[in-house]
């Protein structure tokens, strides 16, 4: 965690300007009949889980360029997440990947997390790679494999992940499968899907009563011809076959270019099957870029559907998680930027004058309907988001506070022994 004084100093430097910006925004919103405080309260309640795999520098299949001070194990990852939570007040949980971040002693990790004020969101299983010591290979699939023994191994892995999650206090498992084929004829399209459905049914049977299971679709990669769970339709079929506590997880990067993701969100809401999100952004494929970096309007339109759905259903509660790979940015800074971006999109969605929008839609006033969305989208909500952070005890400007704290330099000195000293970059 950062020393409290370092946060205080940073906030003090920004406070006067913040007050003026907030007052101005309050007046602007008042003219639209919106109450600033009500929006800040909703924003302050926003929480998103940080993935354990995002704290180290990511990479591509061509290479990885690690930075200094990266966490060496899952305990150190939790320390970094606690800093992000301290600065934003919005990341109280971590989404763990098993076995990438499987703790030797889950009870000890849970204690460590609790001491840092953190908990655990969905755990993620991994049958998209062979793991050390594994008896059978997933080269030709896991839950969809033609060999029952491989399928049983994949089911057992998922059940194991649930067990680890139980020890940590998680309440959900996310299953993303790489299963698929590279060539026509390689895989029986229908039977492979039915095998996945049957395998997931076994996993679902091992789910504690208060848990949820999320199925995550993705159109391609690593399979380049046919992926078994390639789209939201397949994911929905699975969630419906499994039962009440199964839902679909929408990873924003898991759609082909130009797909209308907000429409998918709306459909899943209607089906009562929107389980959760993996936030990131994408230009071409599963690029795992920072949320909102490429298509900020789409992110707003997704949040607009979420706010609309929440208004219609008090129990609406999708799980929010980040799923990004930070190849070039400092991971902590990228995550601070992400949380800010998500809150901005959410804030703007909260500013949509919903009754006015409904009236425009009803009257087929196309221009004013669109204009009602744009009015909200084009509002500078910086002060709203900063105020929500401040009320949560966080920083008015998290990235500035983080940079001024010297945390990364201190960790670079402390976290030695990884054997890698990055060369200086220009
Ligand atoms: C996949 C998918 C999963 C994530 C892995 C690392 O593309 O997005 O959610 O756990 O990557
Ligand atoms: Mn994902
Ligand atoms: Mn992905």
């Amino acid at each position: 965690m950062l020393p409290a004084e370092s946060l205080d100093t940073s906030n003090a430097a920004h406070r006067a300007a913040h007050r003026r910006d907030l007052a101005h925004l309050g007046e602007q919103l008042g003219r639209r009949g919106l109450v600033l405080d009500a929006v800040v309260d909703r924003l302050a309640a926003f929480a998103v889980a940080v993935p354990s795999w995002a704290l180290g520098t990511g990479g591509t299949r061509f290479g990885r360029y690690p930075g200094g001070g990266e966490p060496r194990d899952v305990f150190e990852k939790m320390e970094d997440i606690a800093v992000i939570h301290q600065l934003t007040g919005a990341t109280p949980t971590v989404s763990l990947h098993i076995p990438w971040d499987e703790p030797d002693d889950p009870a000890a990790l849970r204690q460590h997390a609790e001491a840092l004020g953190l908990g655990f969101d969905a755990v993620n299983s991994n049958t998209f790679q062979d793991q050390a010591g594994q008896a059978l290979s997933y080269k030709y699939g896991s839950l969809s494999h033609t060999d029952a023994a491989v399928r049983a191994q994949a089911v057992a892995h998922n059940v194991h992940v649930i067990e680890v999650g139980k020890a940590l206090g998680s309440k959900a498992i996310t299953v993303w499968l790489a299963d698929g084929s590279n060539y026509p004829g390689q895989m029986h399209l229908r039977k492979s899907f039915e095998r996945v459905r049957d395998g997931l049914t076994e996993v679902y049977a091992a789910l504690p009563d208060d848990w949820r299971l999320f199925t995550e679709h993705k159109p391609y990669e690593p399979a380049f011809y046919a992926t078994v769970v390639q789209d939201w339709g397949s994911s929905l079929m699975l969630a419906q076959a499994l039962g009440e506590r199964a839902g679909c997880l929408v990873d924003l990067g898991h759609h082909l270019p130009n797909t209308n993701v907000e429409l998918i969100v709306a459909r899943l809401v209607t089906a009562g099957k929107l389980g959760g999100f993996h936030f990131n952004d994408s230009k071409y494929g599963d690029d795992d870029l920072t949320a909102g970096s490429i298509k900020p309007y789409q992110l707003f339109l997704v949040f607009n559907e979420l706010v609309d759905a929440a208004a219609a259903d008090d129990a609406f509660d999708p799980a929010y998680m980040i799923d990004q790979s930070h190849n070039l940015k400092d991971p902590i800074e990228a995550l601070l930027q992400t949380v800010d971006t998500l809150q901005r999109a959410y804030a703007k969605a909260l500013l949509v004058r919903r009754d006015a929008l409904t009236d425009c839609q009803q009257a087929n006033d196309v221009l004013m309907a669109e204009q009602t969305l744009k009015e909200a989208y084009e509002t500078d909500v910086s002060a709203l988001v900063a105020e929500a952070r401040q009320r949560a005890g966080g920083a008015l400007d998290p990235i500035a506070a983080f940079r001024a704290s010297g945390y990364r330099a201190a960790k670079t000195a402390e976290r030695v022994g990884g054997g890698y000293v990055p060369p200086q970059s220009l």
Side-chain angles (χ1 to χ4, degrees):
M1 304 274 273
L2 308 182
E5 315 82 69
S6 131
L7 200 57
D8 292 346
T9 311
S10 175
N11 280 346
H14 292 93
R15 191 155 290 125
H18 169 66
R19 285 209 181 115
R20 286 201 301 275
D21 291 349
L22 192 68
H24 173 70
L25 185 58
E27 193 211 310
Q28 221 185 330
L29 298 186
R31 269 183 266 135
R32 295 185 207 163
L34 298 166
V35 182
L36 182 135
D37 262 333
V39 180
V40 174
D41 284 347
R42 299 265 312 261
L43 265 186
F46 176 81
V48 61
V50 175
S52 60
W53 59 98
L55 278 309
T57 316
T60 68
R61 65 200 167 101
F62 298 104
R64 186 173 99 85
Y65 298 96
E70 290 190 4
R72 291 165 298 184
D73 60 27
V74 65
F75 284 78
E76 292 182 348
K77 289 178 182 184
M78 302 301 290
E79 286 173 19
D80 287 2
I81 295 169
V83 169
I84 297 168
H85 186 45
Q86 183 185 14
L87 290 168
T88 63
T91 61
T93 54
V94 54
S95 187
L96 217 65
H97 224 298
I98 309 287
W100 289 347
D101 285 303
E102 177 160 5
D104 296 333
D105 180 352
L109 184 63
R110 187 175 184 166
Q111 245 175 18
H112 180 63
E114 274 165 13
L116 291 166
L118 300 173
F120 292 89
D121 206 296
V123 273
N124 302 263
S125 62
N126 179 344
T127 61
F128 49 84
Q129 290 172 313
D130 286 343
Q131 307 297 338
Q134 181 181 311
L136 303 166
S137 174
Y138 295 133
K139 179 173 180 180
Y140 299 113
S142 61
L143 287 177
S144 75
H145 203 284
T146 48
D147 183 342
V150 179
R151 300 200 297 273
Q153 177 181 283
V155 168
H157 168 71
N158 278 282
V159 173
H160 169 69
V161 170
I162 294 173
E163 286 307 312
V164 176
K166 272 159 62 175
L168 294 171
S170 285
K171 292 283 178 227
I173 178 173
T174 300
V175 182
W176 171 68
L177 300 170
D179 293 45
S181 58
N182 274 8
Y183 299 99
Q186 179 189 330
M187 174 184 82
H188 193 287
L189 297 182
R190 183 162 47 78
K191 288 181 188 164
S192 54
F193 181 75
E194 290 164 5
R195 289 193 288 263
V196 164
R197 180 198 58 203
D198 296 346
L200 286 178
T201 303
E202 288 181 54
V203 176
Y204 188 80
L207 215 58
D209 288 346
D210 57 347
W211 271 53
R212 293 190 285 172
L213 183 151
F214 305 134
T215 64
E216 179 180 357
H217 61 276
K218 168 161 155 169
Y220 73 95
E221 194 214 13
F224 290 116
Y225 167 63
T227 294
V228 180
V229 189
Q230 70 143 17
D231 55 11
W232 70 276
S234 307
S235 178
L236 179 61
M237 283 173 73
L238 292 174
Q240 286 176 332
L242 295 179
E244 182 91 1
R245 286 171 295 121
C248 303
L249 186 136
V250 178
D251 182 312
L252 294 185
H254 288 193
H255 304 91
L256 297 175
N258 300 331
T259 301
N260 187 334
V261 180
E262 59 273 23
L263 186 63
I264 293 173
V265 172
R267 291 292 174 272
L268 291 174
V269 171
T270 296
K273 284 296 185 191
L274 183 69
F277 281 89
H278 275 177
F279 291 113
N280 55 49
D281 212 342
S282 133
K283 180 77 178 163
Y284 303 106
D286 188 20
D287 307 338
D288 283 334
L289 299 175
T290 313
S293 56
I294 307 289
K295 290 168 287 194
Y297 195 48
Q298 182 192 65
L299 185 63
F300 159 74
L301 293 172
V302 165
F303 270 99
N304 181 51
E305 290 307 315
L306 297 173
V307 170
D308 191 72
D313 174 9
D314 286 345
F316 184 70
D317 184 27
Y320 296 143
M321 289 166 273
I322 297 166
D323 181 6
Q324 295 177 171
S325 179
H326 306 117
N327 299 352
L328 301 176
K329 294 174 179 168
D330 178 307
I332 294 180
E333 292 187 3
L335 287 161
L336 293 172
Q337 186 186 33
T338 302
V339 175
D340 180 69
T341 302
L342 296 176
Q343 286 178 310
R344 281 169 188 266
Y346 183 36
K348 290 177 182 200
L350 289 168
L351 297 186
V352 173
R353 290 181 297 116
R354 241 149 258 288
D355 292 344
L357 181 61
T358 306
D359 291 346
C360 294
Q361 289 172 343
Q362 205 55 37
N364 294 309
D365 188 341
V366 180
L367 185 130
M368 284 314 290
E370 185 199 19
Q371 207 51 34
T372 307
L373 290 183
K374 284 196 153 181
E375 170 192 79
Y377 178 68
E378 284 164 0
T379 309
D380 180 356
V381 294
S382 311
L384 274 181
V385 175
E387 181 63 14
R389 271 195 299 267
Q390 175 167 259
R391 288 196 196 169
L396 287 170
D397 185 338
I399 294 174
F402 177 72
R403 288 202 169 181
S405 74
Y407 181 84
R408 182 59 79 195
K411 292 299 158 188
T412 303
E414 185 190 312
R415 292 172 179 170
V416 289
Y420 180 86
V421 182
Q424 205 185 340
S425 65
L426 296 171

